[in-house]
Amino acid sequence: MIKISPLFWLVALFSIIYVNGVLHVEATHHLFRNLQSLITSDHDDDSSHQPYRTAYHFQPPKNWINGPMRYKGLYHLFYQYNPKGAVWGNIVWAHSVSKDLVNWTPLDIAIYPSQPSDINGCWSGSATIRPGGKPVILYTGINPNNQQVQNLAYPKDLSDPYLKEWVKSPENPLMAPTIANKINASSFRDPTTAWLGRDGHWRVLVGNKRGKIGQALLYRSRDFVKWVKAKHPLHSSNYTGMWECPDFFPVLKKGILGIDTSVNDDNVRHVLKASLDDRKHDYYLIGSYNATKDKFIPDKDFDKNIETVLRYDYGKYYASKTFFDDGNKRRVLLGWVNESSSVADDIKKGWSGIHAIPRVIWLHESGKQLVQWPVVEIEKLRENPVNWHTKVLKGGQLLQVNDITAAQADVEISFEINKTGDAEVLNSWVDPQILCSQKGSSVRSGLGPFGLIVLASKGLQEYTSVFFRIFKYQNENLVLFCSDQSRSSLNKDNDLTTYGTFVDVDPLHEKLSLRSLIDHSVVESFGGDGKACITARVYPTLAINDEAQLYAFNNGTSSVKITSLSAWSMKKAQINGN
């Protein structure tokens, strides 16, 4: 799928199926047979020796990973796994199952290259539940000519809820580049979940580029085997480059419930997501789907300034995938989070890459953006609650949150302000990430920064700050939301980039809410009740395990009110049998 420096990451391979749900799977161009014997479990999981290993985020026991779906009551996570090392390569499709998206049990390897149509690699794809509850997978394979082609696989035994064995279609490949269709054979990958039109045809998208034009090629089929390319893509853009892991799904105009991928009526809008290979971020458009013309019409399209387009997450988050969880009537988003440490450190710690906590996703009541929130199941890991009621946080004040495992926690805090007269004035528009970098948590202004200081060492030699800052711009209040990693570690070999975005909140009439999931080397933060999300990877050298501390802070000159704070220590999830 993604061919960046192979040493840093685990591709996000997401396949969750639940009645027309999704199975996103990935592997690579290396050929492996008899692979199960390569996987070992002799890893050292002692937290004193593995201070950056997460406790409740999915990751393999060792080495390098990547990928979920739901079938017969079980979620299935298929992920890229390198049994030989903590870098990219030697990839197989490992397989774990869960009843709750939190605790995972490993199974045998699911898929590896074995046909001419995938002999040089099994890359990304998606699954669809066909009538009768039959899951099928469309995935990208690399043929002997190193061309990207699309293949079909299906379970050997539909009565097996664990889906341990998959069979590849003898008709593979089902979609391939030809001289006639003029498809770029090196940029033709990542088929989506298929949807069924009222005309009886299945439709699926495949990511592609032509020059710098990114596009979602459209294919149609009546039997899921013989696919015909449409004359025009569902959508394209001149400014984006390759669209990896495209995703296309409906959302209700009103309410937070999810709906099946094939629904298209007056009650829905559609979302088109593209993982832009040139930028390594996930961007999405909201719009309308004309099923008659098979065209997507976005409310706001990509343009030359890509950073004005909405993103799922403004930190480290890529190659994401949604699926419709029919059992819980929700659409769930899965994303991959790569490391910010050096290759040498990845090899030293013996693993690389994690999955973000699954998120429920829906359309905000304004219709302008999506909202995300961690799945409720993660809350079963909460214990030993700490609750604060109203507190005034004066300018320059720092309040420690005690009686909590600060390296493994879930924190929710809300702030209130009653005037914005002291807000700093922006005379011209500045990119929010640049603004967060220029005005980190140590730079004071009238209103902000205020928020949380997490994974902090005693004496604050190391800390990561997640905060708000309020500006005045053209007589409007702007709320900046930042995650500042610049002081997160004394190890300067790490990527210490600061992330940020503006969050659409009226600070005078709405609460400024922040939730952070802290798990040793990852901080997932949700601002404005999930209107903006930032995921960061951090590797402190002092603020590890029991030495980590947690604070609420206000480094602005004006006071702010904490209306509530709730914090929990988080139990360790059962992952990979640990």
Side-chain angles (χ1 to χ4, degrees), residues 98-247:
S98 172
K99 294 181 179 180
D100 58 9
L101 291 172
V102 176
N103 301 288
W104 295 91
T105 301
L107 300 177
D108 290 344
I109 288 170
I111 301 177
Y112 54 86
S114 63
Q115 284 187 332
S117 60
D118 67 10
I119 199 67
N120 285 331
C122 300
W123 289 9
S124 160
S126 297
T128 303
I129 301 293
R130 298 193 64 196
K134 300 176 181 179
V136 292
I137 299 170
L138 287 171
Y139 69 96
T140 299
I142 310 301
N143 69 16
N145 297 321
N146 285 323
Q147 295 176 316
Q148 297 171 13
V149 298
Q150 314 314 318
N151 300 309
L152 175 68
Y154 48 88
K156 183 177 182 179
D157 181 5
L158 286 171
S159 67
D160 176 17
Y162 292 93
L163 298 176
K164 292 180 180 178
E165 295 184 77
W166 290 82
V167 178
K168 298 173 184 179
S169 171
E171 302 293 325
N172 288 337
L174 308 186
M175 294 166 259
T178 65
I179 295 175
N181 62 32
K182 299 180 181 179
I183 291 175
N184 182 344
S186 64
S187 300
F188 177 55
R189 55 186 180 267
D190 309 345
T192 65
T193 298
W195 70 96
L196 186 60
R198 294 178 182 175
D199 60 0
H201 283 83
W202 289 96
R203 289 161 170 80
V204 70
L205 304 179
V206 181
N208 179 244
K209 73 172 181 178
R210 184 164 51 87
K212 279 293 182 181
I213 299 175
Q215 53 190 1
L217 299 181
L218 178 70
Y219 282 79
R220 303 184 186 97
S221 175
R222 279 197 174 274
D223 61 4
F224 229 90
V225 175
K226 297 177 181 177
W227 291 87
V228 178
K229 180 179 173 293
K231 291 183 179 180
H232 305 286
L234 181 84
H235 193 61
S236 62
S237 173
N238 293 328
Y239 309 106
T240 57
M242 178 62 190
W243 288 8
E244 297 192 298
C245 297
D247 199 9

